[in-house]
Amino acid sequence: HMSDIMANHRFNAQMFGAMDFRTSIMSLEYEYLKKRIDFRFKFTKDALYWDPGTIIHKYRMNKYEVSMSYPFNPMMRVSLTPFYSNTKYNPLRNTNIVQAVATPETFTDYLGYNFEFNFDNTRSRGLNMVVGSRIKFGITSQAALNAKNKNFTKLSIDARNYVPLLKNLILANRFSAGTFLGRGRKNFLLGGMDNWLFNSTNVDDQNNPLITSPGEDNTDLLFLEYVTNLRGFPYSQLFGNNYVLYNLELRVPFFRSLIRRQIKSNFIRNFQVVGFYDIGTAWSGEAPFAGNNSFNTQIITRDPFTAVVTNYRNPFLQGYGFGFRSMVLGYYGKLDFAWGQTDYVTGPVKVYLTLGYDF
């Protein structure tokens, strides 16, 4: 990150890489903030490498964005971001598998836009301690130039309210929802937490969008959207074209509530005890409680037979528990103990060690 003294020009560069050094996300960004309208120019490159043992899957997406943001006042703004992106699927023969036959390379070009409305009147009372409200509503639409069956639109909303209780306690509420529309609609993956160290992912369901067959073009992996927080469950516990999620969290700055004098220790001053409750669902097809949707309908294949089984279950997953937050070695860390409930059955405790603020 670099900027001039007046902060009118900002340059940002980010890079994330997996341990195999083949999967990575890289972005370069320039912001011009001198006038009323803020401009942003951004280039992002995503690379995804997957080796199931036969055909090696290599996916790539380049994205070029020009963003314009107009603030109505210090609390409210709208932004419009037209962009161009292109994806590439590159199958490679695994030299150890002589019989493997690769499918052809595929390329897709997209033109699209993202529109966002933001409202934020929150005020800070310390690290991870804010009061007020935040609302973000977004529309993203992408049109494939060479394949109309890949067109899609995403609608999303994220509304948060932070209510002060007594002197230092904060009751944080968050409601979020999203839906994919169009012939090429994508999937939300519900479960887990952001920046989860030592994480786990659910891949038990054969219809899970994370599961691909050797030689199959599954460029949709680049468009999957993880939805958190749903504690008590791994990533991708539920998935579908739609989701709704509600989070409730009581945040107690433990030592600040007990000690009146100034606290010098960064760890003790920012130490919080929290209690939380999460509830949400993700599905494709009809409404969550309908029988004809992805949650209640299971396709079982046992050659040469295929059976469709309908189960009328509670579509909402629930998670509850407690946790601790504070600054550790310059990072804001969170430790949570959560119990997940599926169809009124509570599972064993699940431990989350994560980094980052808020939900």
Side-chain angles (χ1 to χ4, degrees):
H1 171 80
M2 295 186 299
S3 66
D4 64 320
I5 296 177
M6 302 299 294
N8 290 325
H9 306 273
R10 292 181 182 175
F11 295 88
N12 301 294
Q14 294 181 338
M15 185 170 181
F16 164 81
M19 295 301 294
D20 60 7
F21 298 103
R22 294 168 173 171
T23 297
S24 63
I25 301 175
M26 181 188 70
S27 67
L28 300 172
E29 182 182 70
Y30 165 68
E31 295 178 281
Y32 178 74
L33 309 174
K34 189 174 182 179
K35 305 295 184 181
R36 177 71 177 264
I37 300 179
D38 297 333
F39 291 91
R40 177 171 59 88
F41 305 88
K42 185 176 182 180
F43 167 72
T44 305
K45 181 176 182 179
D46 291 2
L48 178 61
Y49 181 93
W50 182 66
D51 183 3
T54 50
I55 301 300
I56 298 172
H57 294 229
K58 293 181 67 176
Y59 300 98
R60 183 221 66 198
M61 179 167 63
N62 294 334
K63 190 174 184 180
Y64 306 85
E65 304 176 43
V66 179
S67 179
M68 296 156 283
S69 180
Y70 181 82
F72 294 100
N73 53 51
M75 297 179 293
M76 185 167 54
R77 66 180 172 88
V78 294
S79 61
L80 178 64
T81 305
F83 61 83
Y84 161 76
S85 64
N86 59 70
T87 63
K88 177 184 178 181
Y89 163 60
N90 183 18
L92 301 176
R93 184 188 303 272
N94 190 326
T95 56
N96 297 324
I97 309 296
V98 179
Q99 300 298 325
V101 178
T103 54
E105 291 184 342
T106 58
F107 303 84
T108 306
D109 297 295
Y110 292 92
L111 284 179
Y113 69 88
N114 178 62
F115 171 83
E116 277 191 1
F117 168 82
N118 283 271
F119 173 84
D120 188 341
N121 69 355
T122 57
R123 304 177 306 280
S124 176
R125 291 189 174 181
L127 285 180
N128 205 45
M129 298 289 290
V130 297
V131 295
S133 300
R134 291 172 175 165
I135 300 173
K136 181 171 72 173
F137 171 74
I139 303 174
T140 300
S141 183
Q142 295 194 210
L145 302 183
N146 51 350
K148 291 184 178 180
N149 62 326
K150 296 183 178 182
N151 296 354
F152 69 91
T153 298
K154 182 185 75 171
L155 306 178
S156 62
I157 186 171
D158 188 311
R160 309 181 185 193
N161 182 239
Y162 307 90
V163 182
L165 302 177
L166 301 177
K167 183 178 180 181
N168 293 313
L169 279 63
I170 302 291
L171 185 65
N173 299 265
R174 176 193 178 215
F175 170 79
S176 63
T179 182
F180 280 107
L181 307 171
R183 296 174 62 185
R185 63 188 65 181
K186 311 305 179 186
N187 282 282
F188 297 102
L189 306 180
L190 180 65
M193 296 181 69
D194 288 336
N195 305 316
W196 179 11
L197 305 178
F198 316 110
N199 59 72
S200 61
T201 302
N202 172 44
V203 290
D204 293 338
D205 193 319
Q206 65 180 7
N207 298 314
N208 194 310
L210 291 173
I211 299 177
T212 60
S213 301
E216 176 189 2
D217 178 5
N218 192 20
T219 308
D220 279 0
L221 288 171
L222 295 168
F223 297 98
L224 293 177
E225 186 162 328
Y226 286 81
V227 177
T228 56
N229 289 345
L230 185 59
R231 286 159 282 199
F233 300 94
Y235 289 133
S236 192
Q237 180 66 31
L238 289 181
F239 50 85
N241 307 140
N242 315 277
Y243 88 92
V244 292
L245 177 64
Y246 174 73
N247 306 105
L248 178 67
E249 196 166 281
L250 178 64
R251 300 170 181 171
V252 182
F254 188 75
F255 293 105
R256 284 177 57 183
S257 301
L258 297 177
I259 302 174
R260 299 292 182 179
R261 66 179 186 274
Q262 183 179 3
I263 303 174
K264 295 182 179 180
S265 169
N266 207 16
F267 175 82
I268 295 177
R269 183 175 64 253
N270 296 296
F271 184 84
Q272 290 182 12
V273 179
V274 304
F276 59 82
Y277 173 73
D278 306 325
I279 181 170
T281 187
W283 75 97
S284 296
E286 297 183 9
F289 283 100
N292 187 24
N293 61 33
S294 60
F295 183 81
N296 286 317
T297 302
Q298 184 179 10
I299 301 176
I300 301 176
T301 301
R302 297 289 186 271
D303 289 337
F305 303 103
T306 298
V308 178
V309 179
T310 301
N311 302 304
Y312 291 94
R313 301 177 292 165
N314 182 355
F316 284 90
L317 303 180
Q318 302 177 72
Y320 57 89
F322 64 93
F324 309 96
R325 284 101 171 87
S326 193
M327 292 293 296
V328 180
L329 301 176
Y331 295 94
Y332 194 81
K334 298 181 289 188
L335 177 63
D336 290 304
F337 299 86
W339 288 263
Q341 189 179 92
T342 304
D343 203 23
Y344 310 108
V345 177
T346 302
V349 63
K350 201 170 187 65
V351 181
Y352 296 84
L353 180 61
T354 60
L355 300 174
Y357 302 100
D358 209 8
F359 293 104

